[in-house]
Amino acid sequence: MPWIEIELSPRAEWNEDGLEDWAQALGSFLSEKGTGLEPQIRMLPGYYVLQLGEAGIGELTLSRSERLVILDGLSLKGHVECDFARFAVRFARHMGAVGFCVSGASSAERNFWRKLGGVIQPDPVPLKGSIKRGKVTIKQLAKFSLLVTYENEPVLCLEPITCNAHAPGLASLAQRRLEKMYGGSPLGFASRKAVHCPWVISREQWDDLLSFSRLQAFDLLEDLVNTSQEI
């Protein structure tokens, strides 16, 4: 099913430290509407998920590094849901998000989102052929988050994490230096698909993208860490 995106003109910088305030504001809104819902926040590498309970509200995902808010499972059954949708879009703009994405909207609900500025985006298509190493590049997203691109299109987001063991393959000098800097624990990357990835990626392609980007990612991460320490 095609998804909808509302491009936002953020009124502030993306405020990661305000996520708790975000959850409380949502809870206040829903409580005032008499829904009885109490949003719960789950923090995962690179994004935050706000579970909004049953009653068709669904969940909100905040893609931290991509500065996006994603609403999934919303059913516009009445005034409460419509008011909540408008409130969430306004709040995303004030939080500094650059886009508000809606997945799972029915055809009958698309006019509602179009009136809020939503544009229907096509479903991703399968990426055909094997991954070519020379077409894989790494870019910085936000802070220490990294973006893997393929043919200059976003594919994966990487978030540095500590691990119990090294991933198979070579460990670069940049990786060894970073591990020594942070107490010697193995370092790796949590990976997830970029929201704007135009393709459906197979397991083999996913593994190749990670393999081909890994050494580049540690080199860029080392530069980012050194730069942040100089400031």
Side-chain angles (χ1 to χ4, degrees), residues 2-25:
W3 54 285
I4 298 171
E5 181 170 0
I6 302 172
E7 186 175 342
L8 302 176
S9 297
R11 298 179 181 175
E13 290 298 317
W14 181 238
N15 181 14
E16 295 181 19
D17 295 331
L19 291 175
E20 184 176 353
D21 294 337
W22 164 274
Q24 291 175 354

Side-chain angles (χ1 to χ4, degrees), residues 50-87:
L50 294 170
Q51 301 283 356
L52 303 177
E54 302 298 331
I57 297 296
E59 65 182 24
L60 272 173
T61 299
L62 284 74
S63 180
R64 184 180 65 194
S65 52
E66 295 173 282
R67 294 180 63 179
L68 297 172
V69 177
I70 305 158
L71 182 58
D72 186 35
L74 178 73
S75 178
L76 302 178
K77 298 185 296 184
H79 294 300
V80 171
E81 288 79 11
C82 292
D83 289 346
F84 174 78
R86 296 187 189 95
F87 174 79

Side-chain angles (χ1 to χ4, degrees), residues 43 69 78 101 143 222:
M43 293 178 284
V69 177
C101 305
K143 295 187 178 179
E222 183 184 33

Side-chain angles (χ1 to χ4, degrees), residues 9 14 16 36 46 56 104 131 138 146 160 165 188 206 211:
S9 297
W14 181 238
E16 295 181 19
I131 300 297
I138 298 289
L146 306 178
W206 187 290
S211 175

